[in-house]
Amino acid sequence: MACKALDAAFAAAYTQGMKNTPSFLSITLPWPAPARGNAPVRPVFIPFSGCPTRCIFCAQHVQTGQGQRSLASILAAVRDDLRQRRARQAPAVELAFFGGTFTAMPAADQQACLDVAKQGFDEGTVCALRCSTRPDCLSAQAVHRLMAAGCTMIELGVQSFHDSALVTARRGYSGAVAQEACATVLAAGCALGVQLMPGMPGVTAAIFLQDVHKALTCGAHVLRYYPCLVLRGTVLEDLYRQGAYAPWTWQETLAALTQGWLMARQAKVPVIRMGLAPEEGLDAAVLAGPQHKALGAEVQAQALLHTVEQACRGQKLQALIVPRFCQGFFWGEKRRLAAAWAGLGLSSQQLHWHAQPELVLHCAPE
Ligand code: SF4
């Protein structure tokens, strides 16, 4: 790569020198690396378990790569995996039950999952537990039971807080119910995750940004953005084929998620996932929609460009110093952002890296 890596001392001297040059605008902006969990997450996908209905966009057995397996065989595989991790002294994991409606599963099935977690806690292979569920399937009692079993985060598949969008997507609950569920999780002292679905039927870019705002004001500790895809075998496929639904374009998705990501960053709330995980069989199942394996990286690249653009206020970049963790995505996929950066005056020679969690910009009038 043509970009020159600066050590911290050189970067500091460089910055000071530029600051002392008349008419140069020097700006430092915090740009920390996205927060990571303390432990590796071991997802346990329990497709459709407990779901009171099949949501029109959902194809969990495909999304999760699990096919039609029984809960017993899924849990047996988890036990086996934990046993092997223990044998090779691998670090303890956070067990995460996703892909269904955990709190609406039959009590015996919930207990079977919690038993696996308990064994993991006892043996030291599990250090934390989380699960996802629907907002309309959650009571204070259910939260307390999960917390007593070691659960420290509940993720709610809210998708949207907007009543009309929830009706259009036939979710079966209102925005008020989703807000109450958030409050129930927090009132119990549990961490809250909120999953949103930009592009779901009825969700425009403006509604998605309102949803992000609402999730943040509701006190979410983490967010996930899953842009709506048309998956084969869903009701949404029928609507799409009838012309009654059109997924967001890639450009719409990128623009909206960039704004949503910046809003969350401003609130210091991490967006821990953008886009469906690339499970086996997913590519073949996607009929239409803004699927991208590196959506999160592309959004971060776009957000960085947007932030620098705003900060320059029409002036041209003379130099830009960027945290090293951005090296992998700075230019975007296939250098798609190179022209936009060039438009701001940035060449590879003017781009430098450092270990600090901040952006340093030097601009000057054209
Ligand atoms: S979106 Fe959630 S609640 Fe709806 S069917 Fe899928 S897993 Fe179940």
Side-chain angles (χ1 to χ4, degrees):
M1 182 174 282
C3 306
K4 183 173 144 193
L6 300 181
D7 64 22
F10 186 83
Y14 185 86
T15 303
Q16 194 54 45
M18 293 299 275
K19 275 182 182 159
N20 293 338
T21 308
S23 83
F24 275 84
L25 178 65
S26 289
I27 303 164
T28 300
L29 299 169
W31 203 260
R36 292 190 185 283
N38 296 327
V41 172
R42 168 54 164 97
V44 183
F45 294 111
I46 46 171
F48 297 123
S49 292
C51 296
T53 57
R54 291 281 168 103
C55 297
I56 61 172
F57 47 78
C58 188
Q60 283 296 335
H61 52 291
V62 174
Q63 290 166 229
T64 61
Q66 287 292 309
Q68 311 279 1
R69 295 173 64 193
S70 68
L71 181 63
S73 89
I74 291 168
L75 293 181
V78 175
R79 276 205 170 89
D80 195 39
D81 186 27
L82 293 178
R83 203 175 299 124
Q84 289 179 31
R85 292 184 67 86
R86 189 179 186 204
R88 61 174 193 269
Q89 297 183 319
V93 294
E94 175 171 11
L95 216 52
F97 289 97
F98 293 145
T101 304
F102 193 92
T103 53
M105 290 198 303
D109 288 353
Q110 290 187 47
Q111 195 55 52
C113 295
L114 298 180
D115 286 347
V116 172
K118 181 174 184 329
Q119 186 179 347
F121 278 122
D122 291 346
E123 294 177 351
T125 50
V126 172
C127 60
L129 171 65
R130 77 169 74 184
C131 70
S132 67
T133 196
R134 282 172 59 104
D136 56 345
C137 293
L138 192 71
S139 63
Q141 190 187 19
V143 177
H144 287 296
R145 190 175 65 242
L146 283 168
M147 290 179 71
C151 181
T152 50
M153 178 176 288
I154 294 176
E155 295 195 26
L156 295 176
V158 169
Q159 320 307 2
S160 176
F161 290 95
H162 208 272
D163 284 338
S164 69
L166 291 167
V167 170
T168 304
R170 305 178 206 171
R171 286 289 289 167
Y173 54 84
S174 65
V177 166
Q179 286 184 64
E180 279 166 29
C182 293
T184 300
V185 173
L186 294 174
C190 191
L192 169 68
V194 171
Q195 303 173 358
L196 296 175
M197 184 166 281
M200 183 177 79
V203 175
T204 62
I207 288 176
F208 167 63
L209 295 179
Q210 288 169 20
D211 285 336
V212 174
H213 178 73
K214 182 69 79 180
L216 294 171
T217 54
C218 280
H221 294 93
V222 299
L223 299 177
R224 292 180 193 258
Y225 301 157
Y226 292 114
C228 190
L229 302 174
V230 180
L231 299 175
R232 294 178 202 280
T234 61
V235 172
L236 201 58
E237 176 183 357
D238 300 336
L239 296 175
Y240 171 71
R241 290 191 189 280
Q242 292 159 14
Y245 170 73
W248 282 7
T249 64
W250 167 244
Q251 284 306 332
E252 279 177 298
T253 305
L254 191 59
L257 265 64
T258 298
Q259 291 299 321
W261 188 85
L262 285 166
M263 287 167 68
R265 163 152 290 208
Q266 180 81 17
K268 297 189 168 53
V269 171
V271 181
I272 57 174
R273 178 84 216 168
M274 286 183 271
L276 292 177
E279 297 294 340
E280 196 184 338
L282 179 64
D283 283 350
V286 176
L287 187 60
Q291 192 205 6
H292 194 294
K293 285 190 171 62
L295 177 61
E298 292 300 299
V299 168
Q300 286 190 67
Q302 197 74 33
L304 209 159
L305 172 68
H306 178 81
T307 301
V308 171
E309 206 168 21
Q310 297 292 307
C312 284
R313 284 176 264 152
Q315 297 199 14
K316 287 287 179 191
L317 275 173
Q318 304 299 306
L320 179 65
I321 309 175
V322 180
R324 274 201 193 94
F325 75 85
C326 303
Q327 273 180 316
F329 59 76
F330 180 86
W331 297 104
E333 186 183 39
K334 298 180 182 164
R335 291 182 69 84
R336 68 176 178 83
L337 297 178
W341 281 115
L344 290 178
L346 187 77
S347 66
S348 294
Q349 288 69 36
Q350 294 160 308
L351 175 63
H352 309 284
W353 309 101
H354 65 174
Q356 311 307 315
E358 54 194 26
L359 297 171
V360 183
L361 293 70
H362 301 291
C363 313
E366 288 194 60

